[in-house]
Every structure is written in structure tokens, then in C-alpha cells.
Amino acid sequence: MASWEDNIRKVVPYVPGEQPKEKNIIKLNTNENPYGPSKRVLEKAVELENLKLYPDPAATELVDTIAAYHGLNSNQVFVGVGSDDVLAMAFLTFFNSGKKILFPDITYSFYDVWAELFNIPYETVAVDDNFRIKASDYYGENGGIIFPNPNAPTSIGESLSFVEDIVKNNKDVIVIVDEAYVDFGGETALPLIDKYDNLLVVRTYSKSRSMAGLRIGYAMGNDKLIKYLNDVKYSYNSYTMNLPSIILGKESMLDDEYFKETVRKVIDTREWFKAEIEKLGFSCPPSKANFLFITHNTLTAKEIFEKAKANKIYVRYFNKPRIDNYLRVTIGTREEMETFLSFLKTLV
């Protein structure tokens, strides 16, 4: 090894779901919303001439619209390039005590990557045999807490009282609740942000708002937390949010009727598909997300994954302890799920 490599920051990167380039596939592996964005987004003109200018570093139009939608003040909202950017910024800003931060052992697999990248000590806390998080496991001394609600890849959502139990027992650290999937039936922690000044709630446009390609995420909390986040952002890159994202993100938030319609379609298809696959010997936790976490009583997850892929159906397989016999299946359109169901019937 060359001597200059001794001082390189070396991390094991996060591995996203496969993004196949082939056509005529059914893509159920990365939790996108299959219905596409609102017509307001598709029809909104973006003045391309303005791309020669720097965008508003505060993304004011977008921030104001998000705040109004959630009944907040604009100084309670922070925006970033997808929730991954927001979460990474939060790790960098809030987890600096030198004490171990806590998050579940089965959860979003980017958390340990950020902890390693930023040299933040951490400890993973085991979920129980039913993949449930136990609030009392987070009562001890720590340097901060983060967990998704609903959790991923398990799809399990916890109640508002459960979240409050963790927050009120950790008032001396920041607690981050990652609500990427909350719109599909979960219970938001947003009512708690005025009660607890140590709570940050993070959302994304990538799932329920069908805009994964534009990379919009946001955090909500008290004005002091948001100011600290912005101070770090402006010290790192003032212009993180591009102009089209600001304009089109605003339009998406304004079309609440379309948003609720597509979310309802996903939920209805999820419940129908869950009932159908249970007839075939599959089981899964009750889902509050836009995916199911499934296992079969005889077929292995790896076998199903490989045979589905051979039939141009992509689902997510995790070769990890405790979950290597489960598949995460994104809920697509009714037609897509009917095709996948037919495949599963043939396979079984």
C-alpha cells in the first residue's frame, strides 16, 4: 500500500437497490411510488434560462410551502437533497458527544455508514423476534437516537405514544424519527415537536410523492434545531437544492388531492396483495409502509429472488443475519402486483 493511503478515510459504502437498465420489467425493489407525480408537477414550466443563475440557497418557496402544509412556521423546516442528505447533515450536526448513538440492528442500512463516515461511535439495539423495537432498550445513556417509523425493511409502524416514550426518556440528546414511509398508514411524531425541543422528524418526497428522481427531503423541528442544521449546511454547500426541485417540489405539496389518491391506491393494493400471498404460504408483519416484508414457509427468499429476477421481476433480497429469508416487496400498480402474484402461484 502506498504511504498516502494511510490517511485516506475508508468506509464500506451503502449499497442501494439495483437499478436495472433493461425494459419491460416489474420493479418492486426500491420503494418508488408507481403512479408518478401530480399533473401540477408535470405541467409546471421551469424557466430553463434561469438555470444560469444560482438557486435560492434557502429554498424559500419550497420551505414556506412545506411549513404551511404541516401548519408550521418556516423556521421549523429544513430542506435537503433527498432525506439521505438531510439525515447525513443531521448526523454531522447533532451526534458529536463522543458517546454511542443508538439505532435498531434491523433498520435502514445507511445509518451505520454515516456513523462510520463521520467517526461517530454507535451501537445497534436488537429488535425482538417479531422485529419490534423495544422503547425501554433506549433509556440508557447515549449520544443520540435514530430510528425509522415505520421501520425499514420490516414495514412495522409504532404508535405516537411509543415514540414519545423514547423522546421523553432522552431529553439530553437529539432523537431523530425517520418518517420516509409514514404516509402509507403510520402515525407521525410531528405533534411532539413543539413539546420536545430535542426531536427532529424527517420526511422525503421519494416515496409517497413519487419524486425520487428530483431528490427532495426535509426535516421538521424547533427553530433552534433547524438553525443548527442550516449553519452546517451553509458551511458545507449553500446551494444544495436545485431550481427545478424547489419549483416542482412546491407544486407537488400543493396538490393534496392527488397525493392522497395515490397513497390510498398503494394502501389498498398492499392489503389485497398481502391477503392473496398469505393463501400461498407467505407471511409478513402488518405493514404501515409501501412495501411488504415477506417470507415463505418452504421456499427460501434467495430462491424466490433469483427466479423472480429471471422473470424480469425485481424485489429486494438482504443477505444479512436474521433477515436473509425475507424479501422486501414494493407495492406497484394493481396490474404489476397481479403479474407478480401469478408468478408466485406458479412458483409455489
Side-chain angles (χ1 to χ4, degrees):
M1 180 181 293
S3 59
W4 54 263
E5 290 190 69
D6 295 340
N7 298 312
I8 299 295
R9 187 183 300 275
K10 303 178 184 70
V11 294
V12 179
Y14 169 76
V15 179
E18 187 175 357
Q19 298 288 356
K21 301 297 188 292
E22 58 186 312
K23 296 181 179 180
N24 300 317
I25 65 166
I26 295 178
K27 190 170 182 290
L28 308 175
N29 65 329
T30 49
N31 295 347
E32 294 117 333
N33 188 320
Y35 295 107
S38 155
K39 283 187 177 180
R40 287 188 64 142
V41 174
L42 299 176
E43 295 173 356
K44 179 67 177 179
V46 177
E47 298 297 334
L48 299 181
E49 175 69 13
N50 290 332
L51 295 181
K52 69 185 179 184
L53 305 173
Y54 283 109
D56 172 13
T60 306
E61 282 189 55
L62 180 60
V63 167
D64 290 349
T65 304
I66 292 172
Y69 181 85
H70 291 292
L72 303 174
N73 296 320
S74 295
N75 61 4
Q76 292 180 283
V77 175
F78 172 88
V79 297
V81 186
S83 60
D84 285 343
D85 179 51
V86 174
L87 289 167
M89 206 71 68
F91 269 61
L92 193 60
T93 304
F94 300 123
F95 295 157
N96 296 294
S97 69
K99 298 176 184 177
K100 291 181 180 178
I101 65 169
L102 306 178
F103 48 84
D105 65 332
I106 298 175
T107 194
Y108 186 31
S109 52
F110 224 140
Y111 296 159
D112 58 343
V113 174
W114 287 317
E116 295 281 355
L117 180 64
F118 299 135
N119 289 325
I120 300 168
Y122 69 93
E123 179 181 339
T124 58
V125 182
V127 297
D128 68 18
D129 291 341
N130 295 314
F131 301 126
R132 303 298 291 263
I133 300 170
K134 187 177 178 182
S136 58
D137 288 342
Y138 295 82
Y139 288 176
E141 184 178 23
N142 62 75
I145 294 169
I146 182 169
F147 61 96
N149 191 39
N151 196 8
T154 66
S155 79
I156 297 172
E158 303 293 351
S159 67
L160 181 62
S161 60
F162 173 93
V163 174
E164 184 169 15
D165 188 19
I166 291 179
V167 177
K168 73 182 181 182
N169 280 284
N170 290 279
K171 292 182 179 179
D172 58 340
V173 300
I174 302 302
V175 178
I176 302 173
V177 182
D178 182 353
E179 293 190 344
Y181 302 100
V182 75
D183 294 320
F184 298 102
E187 191 171 3
T188 181
L190 201 55
L192 300 177
I193 65 173
D194 289 326
K195 186 176 180 180
Y196 298 97
D197 62 3
N198 63 319
L199 173 64
L200 192 73
V201 176
V202 177
R203 298 276 187 93
T204 179
Y205 273 57
S206 298
K207 317 301 181 187
S208 57
R209 294 194 177 273
S210 308
M211 295 175 68
L214 272 181
R215 315 304 304 125
I216 304 173
Y218 59 101
M220 297 170 286
N222 76 80
D223 58 349
K224 184 178 289 187
L225 288 185
I226 299 306
K227 181 183 183 302
Y228 285 136
L229 275 171
N230 275 314
D231 287 346
V232 170
K233 168 189 169 181
Y234 293 139
S235 301
Y236 175 71
N237 181 357
S238 298
Y239 300 102
T240 56
M241 182 65 66
N242 66 62
L243 179 63
S245 293
I246 294 171
I247 294 172
L248 301 181
K250 174 183 175 181
E251 293 303 314
S252 173
M253 192 65 71
L254 291 173
D255 194 349
D256 200 42
E257 182 179 352
Y258 178 81
F259 163 70
K260 290 176 178 176
E261 176 190 345
T262 56
V263 165
R264 172 50 53 191
K265 284 182 181 178
V266 171
I267 292 172
D268 289 346
T269 303
R270 180 189 72 200
E271 296 308 305
W272 164 80
F273 184 73
K274 180 176 184 292
E276 291 297 316
I277 62 172
E278 285 173 347
K279 300 174 187 176
L280 302 178
F282 287 91
S283 60
C284 59
S287 174
K288 297 295 183 180
N290 67 333
F291 59 87
L292 294 174
F293 194 52
I294 71 172
T295 187
H296 193 260
N297 54 19
T298 57
L299 296 171
T300 68
K302 187 176 182 181
E303 178 185 3
I304 299 170
F305 164 75
E306 290 174 345
K307 291 185 177 180
K309 186 175 179 179
N311 282 269
K312 294 189 174 184
I313 301 172
Y314 287 76
V315 295
R316 192 75 187 268
Y317 170 66
F318 298 92
N319 188 16
K320 293 182 176 182
R322 300 187 69 187
I323 60 172
D324 60 349
N325 203 32
Y326 284 79
L327 296 172
R328 192 191 70 192
V329 179
T330 303
I331 302 302
T333 64
R334 177 67 177 246
E335 293 74 21
E336 288 175 327
M337 302 314 291
E338 286 174 348
T339 300
F340 186 40
L341 179 63
S342 296
F343 162 79
L344 293 176
K345 287 179 177 178
T346 301
L347 188 62
V348 170

